[in-house]
Amino acid sequence: MATGALALGLAPLHAQNFDDPEEFAKQQEQLQAESMGPEGQPWVQHIGGDMVETADLGIEGPATVCFSNAGVNNPWRVVGYTNMTEEVENHDSIGEFIHVDAEGSDDKQIADIDDLLAGGDCDVMIVSPNTTAALTPAVERACEAMPVIVFDRGVNTDCPVTFIHPVGGYGFGIQGAEFIVDNVEEGANVLMLRILPGVDVLETRYSAGRRILDEAGMNIVGAEFTDGDNAKTKSIVEDYLMRGDIDAVWMDAGATAVAAIEAFEDSGYDIPVFVGEDQQDFLRKWQDKGLTAIAPTYPTYQWRTAVIAAARVIEGEALPGPEWVLPQPAITQENLDEYVNPAMPPLHYAMCGCEDMANYPEAWGGN
């Protein structure tokens, strides 16, 4: 997650290196790697890795799949959860789907998992952890009772059957910063807008973006936290415009991208090179105004993958593991028109991989 980022509902991790050169290089390579799997279906593709056999797990279908969710508390997670519930309908091997919402609380999610285990109804468990360290013991307890699939954010244990995630935060930061470097002159003024400190995916996005911009000789005029607030975002941009020109804006998540663009418009400035995300409001603005822009993504189609993985476990099929790394494409000028859809809500995430599903677009709030 991705808003990716605020949209991920992620929480801080402690004592973690957010500027790891080896992980930076790994994700930079993965962005260019060829994905294996069915063409046009990135939610079932994977980058590298081994296959995990599940035939010996002995689960009979139709089985009950339980999902411990960090939360459905922002647009990214709403789109993702809709993907998930719609994907469940595609699998006869899933008899019942039980969802518990932790509402962004570690304590509640730990209690939710313990309650699911005590109830004895689950055959397979999917977990999207609220935070990594806090949820690790609960996931380990679940692994002792049944196959577990983790996605979106990881845990500090290798007991799950697989951990599903796109390339990662370094990849997101790399895509946006490289686009800026390719479209402005050395020494250009770049404003970096962030949402929250201490969140793993956001911190790695920033460290990757900063590394590339610094190495290319860009002038970072500021790196400011917006708290994901539209009014605060506009105020920050307006303040920097009073100090001088801004040639590019890099964002670690696109939730307030349109607000940032409006600050330039309201102040009478040309809109600079822009890094947003795959929300419809930003994509439409980009298309309408002919911006020079890119939208890195933390694809919500990964929520489909988690259900597909659970179905494969029930059916005894092999699946990528111990990590299932999904492709992480960006929306560019070349493919922008494919993703702009005026029939979808402004906060719909375009990289949902949901267009082929039976109840699209109505289930996602579209017309």
Side-chain angles (χ1 to χ4, degrees):
M1 183 107 78
T3 55
L6 181 62
L8 304 182
L10 297 175
L13 293 178
H14 302 288
Q16 182 171 339
N17 180 9
F18 297 126
D19 190 10
D20 183 340
E22 291 186 8
E23 188 63 25
F24 175 96
K26 174 185 172 182
Q27 293 190 23
Q28 192 170 41
E29 182 177 344
Q30 287 177 331
L31 288 174
Q32 307 302 323
E34 184 175 352
S35 301
M36 294 176 279
E39 184 176 356
Q41 299 179 47
W43 53 92
V44 286
Q45 295 175 359
H46 61 102
I47 299 171
D50 299 321
M51 299 296 287
V52 175
E53 298 296 333
T54 67
D56 61 348
L57 295 178
I59 299 173
E60 295 185 7
T64 297
V65 174
C66 296
F67 174 38
S68 171
N69 191 358
V72 193
N73 48 10
N74 52 63
W76 187 88
R77 302 194 75 85
V78 170
V79 172
Y81 182 62
T82 304
N83 284 1
M84 179 174 272
T85 55
E86 293 297 312
E87 181 63 42
V88 167
E89 300 302 316
N90 293 336
H91 301 277
D92 292 337
S93 59
I94 299 177
E96 186 176 3
F97 181 73
I98 299 172
H99 169 240
V100 286
D101 181 355
E103 302 172 1
S105 165
D106 286 339
D107 290 342
K108 186 175 187 308
Q109 189 167 29
I110 292 166
D112 286 344
I113 291 173
D114 288 341
D115 287 345
L116 290 172
L117 294 175
D121 296 323
C122 307
D123 297 303
V124 179
M125 187 177 295
I126 300 171
V127 181
S128 175
N130 189 57
T131 69
T132 294
L135 267 297
T136 295
V139 169
E140 289 179 326
R141 289 194 295 275
C143 287
E144 294 174 0
M146 70 193 73
V148 175
I149 294 155
V150 171
F151 83 101
D152 176 15
R153 287 153 277 166
V155 284
N156 296 325
T157 176
D158 59 3
C159 75
V161 176
T162 194
F163 167 33
I164 297 164
H165 61 91
V167 170
Y170 291 99
F172 188 106
I174 288 166
Q175 287 170 319
E178 286 184 342
F179 181 81
I180 289 175
V181 171
D182 289 343
N183 284 277
V184 300
E185 300 293 331
E186 183 177 353
N189 294 332
V190 180
L191 176 61
M192 303 186 77
L193 295 178
R194 310 179 62 190
I195 289 183
L196 297 169
V199 179
D200 58 351
V201 168
L202 303 182
E203 292 288 355
T204 54
R205 290 179 185 185
Y206 173 69
S207 72
R210 183 79 192 226
R211 174 192 295 264
I212 289 170
L213 295 173
D214 284 342
E215 290 178 352
M218 298 298 148
N219 179 34
I220 310 299
V221 297
E224 301 285 351
F225 290 106
T226 68
D227 301 327
D229 180 81
N230 285 328
K232 184 173 181 179
T233 299
K234 288 186 74 171
S235 177
I236 290 169
V237 175
E238 289 166 352
D239 181 55
Y240 274 89
L241 284 171
M242 292 178 65
R243 307 180 196 180
D245 292 336
I246 297 173
D247 301 303
V249 174
W250 179 97
M251 304 186 78
D252 67 2
T256 62
V258 171
I261 291 169
E262 289 173 348
F264 287 90
E265 294 178 316
D266 294 349
S267 301
Y269 288 85
D270 292 336
I271 302 169
V273 173
F274 227 93
V275 177
E277 205 170 353
D278 59 319
Q279 289 167 283
Q280 282 293 328
D281 60 351
F282 173 68
L283 301 183
R284 293 173 199 166
K285 192 78 167 179
W286 173 1
Q287 187 183 63
D288 290 345
K289 298 295 183 179
L291 305 183
T292 300
I294 191 171
T297 72
Y298 193 71
T300 53
Y301 57 59
Q302 65 186 285
W303 294 67
R304 292 188 67 174
T305 314
V307 174
I308 291 166
R312 290 189 184 180
V313 168
I314 296 166
E315 296 158 13
E317 296 182 8
L319 70 162
E323 286 189 74
W324 186 339
V325 181
L326 298 165
Q328 186 171 299
I331 296 175
T332 65
Q333 187 62 49
E334 287 69 30
N335 62 11
L336 174 63
D337 291 347
E338 300 174 24
Y339 291 99
V340 173
N341 187 347
M344 299 306 289
L347 300 183
H348 177 73
Y349 284 79
M351 198 64 71
C352 65
C354 56
E355 293 83 1
D356 68 334
M357 304 186 84
N359 293 318
Y360 180 87
E362 290 81 7
W364 289 262
N367 298 319

